[in-house]
Amino acid sequence: MPRKPLILAAVIVALHLCEAATLGTSTAGSLLANLLQILACGFAAVMAFGAYRRGRGLSRPFWLLVGAGIAMWGVANLGWMYYEVALHTEPPTGSAVRFLFGLQSVFFAMALFLDQDKDSPTLDSESVLDFIQITIVFFFIFLGFYYLPAHHFDEHTALAREIRVETGEDILLVALAFIQTLRARTEGIRKLYAGLTLYLLFYTVCAGFADYKQSIHATPTGTYLDLAWTLPLLFVALWAAACRPAPETRQGPRRKSFGDLMLRNATFALAPLIVLLQVSQMGSEWRVVRFSLLGVSIVCYAARLGISQFREAKSENAVQTHALAMESAADGISILGAEGEHVYVNSAFARMIGFEDAAAVLGKTWQEVYDPRDAALLQDQVRESLKQTGKWSGQVSLRRRDETRIPVEMAITAMPQGGVVCVARDIRDRLTAERARFETEAKYKMFVEQVAAVSYIAEVGLHGEWLYVSPQVETIFGFTQQEWLKGSEQWIRFVPEEDHPIIEAAEENCLRVKRFQAEYRLKRKDGQIIWVSDTAVVVPGSESHPLMEGIIVDITERRLLENQLQQARRMEAVGRLAGGVAHDFNNLLTIIKGYVDLALKRCVEQPELRGNIQRIEDAAERAVTLVRQLLAFSRKQVLKPKVLDLNSIVLNMDKLVRRLMSETIEMKTQIGKNLGAVKADPGQIEQVILNLIVNARDAMPNGGKLVIETGNVELDSTFSHDQASVKPGPYVMLSVTDTGIGMGAETLAHIFEPFYTTKESSRGTGLGLSTVYGIVKQSGGHVSVYSEAGKGTTFKVYLPRVDDPVQAQPTVEAPGSTSVEGAETILLVEDEPAVRELARMVLAERGFSVIEAQSPEDAVRLAGKHGAEIHLLLTDVVMPGMSGHDLAKQLTARHPNLRVLYMSGYTYNMIAENGTLEEGLSFLQKPFTPQGLTQKVREVLSRPVHAK
C-alpha cells in the first residue's frame, strides 16, 4: 500500500472528526463536511483514473467506469451542498440531484457487464449498446419506482421509498458483483470484481445505516454520520492506489456451454422486457418518453443481436477457412477430444499413419491409431509437460500400419476446453539433408583444422564479436580458442596502434565491396610481434551485424624475406649510384693527379709553389681512397683472390690494431682450430677486419671489451631461410664483438648504406661499414649484425669455405726505375678528352708513338689503317656504343700480336660476376699517375702476347 494515499485518507478522516466535534451542523460545519466529502470523492476518482492509465486489458474500461461512477457521486454532492448550505434545505423530491446520486449505480452496473471473454482495453460497439440498455433500465426504475410515486406521498414516505429503491439497487449490484467474481476467468479479473464487491457491500451497509438514521431524525451534514459516506470513498481511493496490472497470461478462448449462451441471450432480451413492463404502467402524459425509450431499447437489442450474428457468421467463415487451410497443409494435423478420441484429422495426417481416408480415423481413440510401443515411451512425458506448460514437442518415430517407421517432429498443444491439437511433420528429407550437411561440415572442419591458417567467423567492425575461431589460433596467436573468443570484441587491442588505420581502411572498403583484405602486425600471447595476412568475405547475418568468414595467415617469414629483398635492392641501387659516381670521379682524379705529378716535376726549384701543389696531391690521394671505398661498396673494384688462411691474416692484423686501441679497451683474439681456407683478396680482407675493429673501438668511448673470433660453421636451410641471399653450406666465420653503446632497430636498418654514420662529422665518412659490406658480398660471403642499444654489437662475416690448399703470399718487389722509355706505337682509346690528352702527352714524352681515338668506332677505323704498326691497345672499359673489352676482342681477332691494356674507374664486361680479373688480362686502375701509366705500359709491352 502506498504511504501517501494512506496518509491523505487519514487526514480526511481526522478533519471529519475535528469538524464534527467543533463546528457540528452549523452552516460552516455543513460546508466543511460537504467539502471534505467532495475531496474524498475527487481523491477516489483521481486514484481510479490513475489505475485506468496503469491497467491493461479489461482493467482499463473497468477503472474508467468505476472512476466515472465515483465522479458522478461527487457532482451530485455539489448539488446537495448548494441546497443545504445556500438554501438551508434538502433537495426536493424528484430533483436532478437525487437522480444523479442514483446515476452512479449505472456506471457500476456497466462495469459488471463487461465481457470477460474479450478482456479488451477498449469499449466496443456491443458494450456501448449494453450500456445504453442499462441506462434506460435504471432510468425507468428511478422513474417508475420513485419519481412518479413520490409526487403522491408526503416527504417522509417519499424518503423511505427512495431509501428502499436505492438499497435494492445496491443489493442487486452486490449480488451481480459476487457472481462475476465467481465467474472470473483470470486471477487479475477476479481481484477486480472482488474489490468491487467489497466496495459495494461496504457502501450498501454504510449508506443503509446513514439512511436509516436520517429516516428517524433528519440531521444536516456535519455530524459523525458523515463518515458513512466518506469511508467508502476512501476505500475506493486506497483500493485503486494499491491496484497494479496483473502479469499478462495467454489463454485460449473459453468454450461456452449451452447454459452460458442461453443466459447471455436472455440478458439481451431482459432489458426490453423490463422497459416494456415499466412503460405499460406509466400514464398517458409520459407517452412520448416511454415509447421513445422503448424504441431505443428495441433498436439496441436488435443491433446487439445483429452484431452478434455478424460476428458468429464471420467466425464461421474463419473456421471454414482454417479448416480448408488445415486440410491443405503438408503437415499432419489432428485434434483429440477430452476423452482422447479423434474429432478432426486432415488428409496429410491420415496418410502419414497409413490410412487412406481421414474419415477412417475420426472417432477412434489415440490408442487405436498410434503404435502402443511408441505411446508407452512418451505417454507419461507428454502428460506431465501438458500439465505444466500446456505444450509438448519432440521428435518421435511412428510405426505405420504397414509396419514401417517414419521419423516425425510432433507438437502437442492442450486446448482450454479439454483435448489437444497435434501437429506432425515428416522429417525424413530433413534428416537426410542434415546427415549430408554433417558429413560436409566434418570434411570442412577437418580441412580447416589442418590448414596452416586461422579460420574465423566474426561480426564486421573493429569491435565485432568473433563467433568461431579454429584451433590453429593457439599455434599462431598463442591463445586457446576459449581465451581468444572471451572478450573478442576487443581483439583490436592485440594490434599495434600504428596498424589501426590499415584495418580501418580495410573495414571501410569491406562495406563497399563485401571483401576484407589487410596485412598488419599482431601481438601474440607471449608478446612476440608477428605479421599476418587477413582475408575475408562478408556473408549474410543479421541486419545490424553482418558476418565475415575469413582466414588469417602468418606471413612473418614472408615479410622478413620481403624486407631483406627490399634492403638488397636498395643497397644494389645505392651501389650502382656509387659505382657511377666513382667512375666519373676516377676520370677527374686521373686528370688531377696526372697534372699534379707533372707540375711537381717542373717546380723543383720553387719550394713554396711545390708545397702548395703537394697539398693538392694529398687531397687527391684522400679522394682516391674515398673513391676506392665507394667502389668496394658497389662491388665494382678489381679483386685478386687467393686461397688464404684467415687465421694468419687475423693474427698479423692483431699486432697492428693493438696499437690503435685505448688502454681502457681490452682486446682478445680467439682463433678457431683447423680453420678452413677461403678464397678472397688478402688486402680487401685486411680492410674488412680493420674497418670492423675501428668501428668497435669508436663504439666504446669509455672503454670496454673487444673480442675477435674465427671458426668453421655450417649454415643450414634455417639460416638461409632467414637470410635470403645466403646459400646453405660450409663457411668460415669472422666475428667482431664489442661491449659498446650498441644500436637500435632504426640505426641497424641503415648501417651499411654509404655516408650513413652516427659519429661526429670529423670522426668518420660513413663508408667504413659500407666498404665491409661491398667487399664481403663481392667475395661471395655474407655479413650479419646483432645489436641492442646499450648492450654492444656483434658483426659476423661468413666467407665460403674452400678445399684448395692455401697459397703462399708473394714477396713484394721493389719498384723499378722511374725512367721508362719506349718507341712502340700505342692506340689510345678514351672518350674523356682530358684523360686522353694527359695519357697522350705522358706517353709521347717517353718516346712512344700515340694514335688517339675518341671512340671505339674511331679506333676500329684507325686500326684498320695502321694495324700492323700498333703494338699496344690502351683502352678505357666503359665507353658509349661499344665497351673496351668488345673493342679488344674485335681488334685482336684481326691482329693476333696486339697487346691490350685496360684502364677504368671500375671494371665492367671484362670482370666476372664476383669481380675477379680474367686470367691474362692487364688492367690499370684509375686514377693513375704518369709514372704508373708508363710503367704499366712498359710491363705489358715486355710480356709475350697472351694466347687466345
Side-chain angles (χ1 to χ4, degrees), residues 639-644 678-685 779 799:
L639 298 183
K640 297 178 181 179
K642 298 182 183 297
V643 179
L644 52 87
V678 297
K679 190 173 184 179
D681 188 319
Q684 299 298 327
I685 296 301
S779 300
L799 296 173

Side-chain angles (χ1 to χ4, degrees), residues 125-130 132-133 268 272 295-311:
S125 56
E126 293 167 281
S127 299
V128 173
L129 292 174
D130 291 342
I132 294 175
Q133 291 278 40
F268 294 158
V296 171
S297 179
I298 294 174
V299 169
C300 287
Y301 172 72
R304 183 68 170 78
L305 193 62
I307 291 174
S308 298
Q309 291 178 345
F310 173 76
R311 293 187 184 277

Side-chain angles (χ1 to χ4, degrees), residues 200-212 225 227-229 231-232:
L200 291 174
L201 181 62
F202 187 30
Y203 176 80
T204 300
V205 172
C206 291
F209 177 75
D211 287 338
Y212 173 74
L225 195 61
L227 290 173
W229 306 101
L231 289 177

Side-chain angles (χ1 to χ4, degrees), residues 458-681:
E459 295 176 348
V460 175
L462 294 179
H463 302 287
E465 181 183 2
W466 291 53
L467 307 179
Y468 167 78
V469 65
S470 65
Q472 291 88 331
V473 70
E474 187 168 1
T475 304
I476 298 178
F477 294 175
F479 296 91
T480 64
Q481 289 175 284
Q482 294 74 19
E483 288 174 339
W484 183 264
L485 293 176
K486 184 180 180 181
S488 60
E489 300 89 344
Q490 302 299 324
W491 70 274
I492 193 69
R493 70 182 184 274
F494 298 112
V495 179
E497 290 188 6
E498 298 83 357
D499 292 354
H500 286 191
I502 298 174
I503 301 178
E504 291 171 357
E507 291 280 1
E508 293 177 2
N509 186 62
C510 174
L511 297 176
R512 294 193 302 271
V513 301
K514 306 301 181 184
R515 180 178 176 83
F516 180 91
Q517 173 62 49
E519 292 185 359
Y520 52 87
R521 290 170 297 169
L522 189 140
K523 187 176 182 181
R524 285 171 44 92
K525 183 179 180 180
D526 58 10
Q528 179 185 353
I529 299 296
I530 62 173
W531 275 95
V532 296
S533 175
D534 190 348
T535 304
V537 294
V538 178
V539 296
S542 65
E543 293 182 359
S544 58
H545 293 287
L547 301 178
M548 292 196 309
E549 291 184 359
I551 60 173
I552 298 177
V553 181
D554 185 350
I555 60 168
T556 305
E557 294 183 357
R558 194 196 80 190
R559 294 289 296 212
L560 178 62
L561 295 177
E562 287 178 354
N563 291 339
Q564 292 176 357
L565 181 59
Q566 291 176 0
Q567 176 72 5
R569 288 176 177 173
R570 183 167 67 249
M571 299 294 283
E572 183 68 24
V574 174
R576 290 175 183 171
L577 175 62
V581 171
H583 174 265
D584 293 339
F585 264 79
N586 272 331
N587 282 334
L588 297 176
L589 289 172
T590 300
I591 300 169
I592 295 172
K593 285 179 63 64
Y595 284 104
V596 164
D597 190 60
L598 295 175
L600 285 173
K601 292 178 180 179
R602 295 172 182 171
C603 61
V604 176
E605 298 179 356
Q606 301 180 40
E608 184 176 352
L609 178 59
R610 184 178 179 84
N612 293 336
I613 296 175
Q614 284 178 338
R615 287 186 179 87
I616 298 174
E617 184 181 31
D618 293 340
E621 284 297 333
R622 288 196 298 271
V624 169
T625 302
L626 182 63
V627 171
R628 284 177 181 170
Q629 290 176 325
L630 285 175
L631 285 173
F633 168 73
S634 63
R635 288 170 274 170
K636 300 297 185 181
Q637 62 181 342
V638 179
L639 298 183
K640 297 178 181 179
K642 298 182 183 297
V643 179
L644 52 87
D645 179 14
L646 187 60
N647 280 346
S648 299
I649 297 179
V650 170
L651 293 175
N652 290 334
M653 291 292 296
D654 181 81
K655 301 174 183 178
L656 171 65
V657 297
R658 284 187 183 275
R659 294 196 296 268
L660 302 176
M661 294 295 113
S662 168
E663 294 180 356
T664 59
I665 296 176
E666 177 187 354
M667 182 175 172
K668 187 176 182 180
T669 301
Q670 298 175 345
I671 59 174
K673 295 182 179 180
N674 302 319
L675 191 67
V678 297
K679 190 173 184 179
D681 188 319

Side-chain angles (χ1 to χ4, degrees), residues 11-27:
V11 169
I12 292 175
V13 172
L15 290 175
H16 259 300
L17 295 175
C18 292
E19 180 276 326
T22 56
L23 300 178
T25 58
S26 63
T27 301

